[in-house]
Amino acid sequence: TSVNEVVCHGIPSPKTILQSGDIINVDVTPILNSYYGDTSRTFIVGGEQATSQVAKNLVQCAKDALHEAILILNDSAGVTDIASTITQIAQQQGFSVVYDFVGHGIGKTFHEEPNIQHCYFTAKKQPTIKLPRGMTFTIEPMINQKGPQTRVLSDGWTAVTTDGGLSAQFEHTIAILPNGEVDILTLP
C-alpha cells in the first residue's frame, strides 16, 4: 500500500493511520496455476468530496493514462507508443511520469523482460521494442503531482517523491492474444 507521496512499494504498518482525503494505492499480485498477475488501483480515503481538487485530478490522470495506453495496443504498437501516450496525458494535465519504475513482462516469474517504460523521454533512448502476439506484460503508470524524481527510503524498498508531492498509480496485466486482440487479465 502506498499512501500520498509514496510512489510504490509502501509497506503497510499499524502506525500508518489513514486520514480522510489521503490517497492510497493498493497493489496486488495474484498467482493462478503458477502464473503471476499484477494489478493496482489508487483510492481516495473518504471519497472524492474528502480530498483536494489536485488529488482528484491526479488520481483520474493516472487512471486515464492506463486506459488510453491500453487502447493504443495492437500488432504494430511498441513500448515507445505506450510511453508517449502516458507522458502526453500527464503533461497535458500538469503532472509528471515517474521514470525510475516501469512495467514489465510477466508470466511464470514475476518480473520478466521487457521493461515497459512509461516515460517517453526514457523510452525513446531504448531500443525499439514491439509487443508481439502471445506477450504478457504490465502497464502501470505512476503519475506524480510535481516532479518525476523518486528516492528509496532507508528500508531499502519504499519509494517516495523527492519533492513531497502526491503520487497515484493504476496497473493491469495485459496479454496480446494469438489473434492480435488485447486481453486485460486483471479486470475484476
Side-chain angles (χ1 to χ4, degrees):
T1 56
S2 300
V3 181
N4 294 329
E5 76 282 354
V6 179
V7 175
C8 60
H9 305 156
I11 301 170
S13 167
K15 294 178 183 177
T16 303
I17 307 299
L18 296 175
Q19 303 295 319
S20 185
D22 285 345
I23 63 173
I24 180 170
N25 179 268
V26 179
D27 196 339
V28 179
T29 304
I31 304 170
L32 179 64
N33 300 328
S34 301
Y35 288 93
Y36 284 85
D38 199 7
T39 188
S40 78
R41 180 177 177 181
T42 300
F43 299 90
I44 300 172
V45 178
E48 285 193 2
Q49 70 282 358
T51 198
S52 68
Q53 189 63 49
V54 168
K56 286 188 275 193
N57 292 348
L58 179 69
V59 170
Q60 188 63 50
C61 179
K63 185 176 184 180
D64 291 346
L66 173 61
H67 177 74
E68 294 299 319
I70 292 169
L71 287 179
I72 60 103
L73 297 177
N74 59 44
D75 282 352
S76 63
V79 171
T80 306
D81 300 311
I82 293 170
S84 177
T85 299
I86 291 168
T87 300
Q88 183 178 6
I89 289 167
Q91 287 184 337
Q92 285 173 346
Q93 296 185 38
F95 300 125
S96 63
V97 181
V98 170
Y99 48 78
D100 292 330
F101 299 95
V102 297
H104 50 87
I106 191 167
K108 287 198 171 191
T109 55
F110 186 54
H111 286 117
E112 298 179 353
E113 291 296 322
N115 286 335
I116 306 296
Q117 299 284 337
H118 300 112
C119 178
Y120 178 72
F121 306 106
T122 53
K124 72 179 183 178
K125 296 176 185 176
Q126 306 294 322
T128 301
I129 299 172
K130 293 296 179 186
L131 304 169
R133 293 177 184 204
M135 183 175 179
T136 305
F137 57 97
T138 69
I139 301 176
E140 47 185 296
M142 293 159 237
I143 309 297
N144 286 355
Q145 173 190 358
K146 298 178 183 177
Q149 297 82 9
T150 66
R151 68 181 175 87
V152 176
L153 299 180
S154 60
D155 63 18
W157 186 247
T158 305
V160 298
T161 60
T162 59
D163 53 27
L166 298 172
S167 187
Q169 177 186 16
F170 282 78
E171 174 184 18
H172 275 306
T173 300
I174 311 295
I176 307 292
L177 300 178
N179 65 4
E181 291 182 18
V182 174
D183 191 3
I184 305 170
L185 301 175
T186 47
L187 282 176

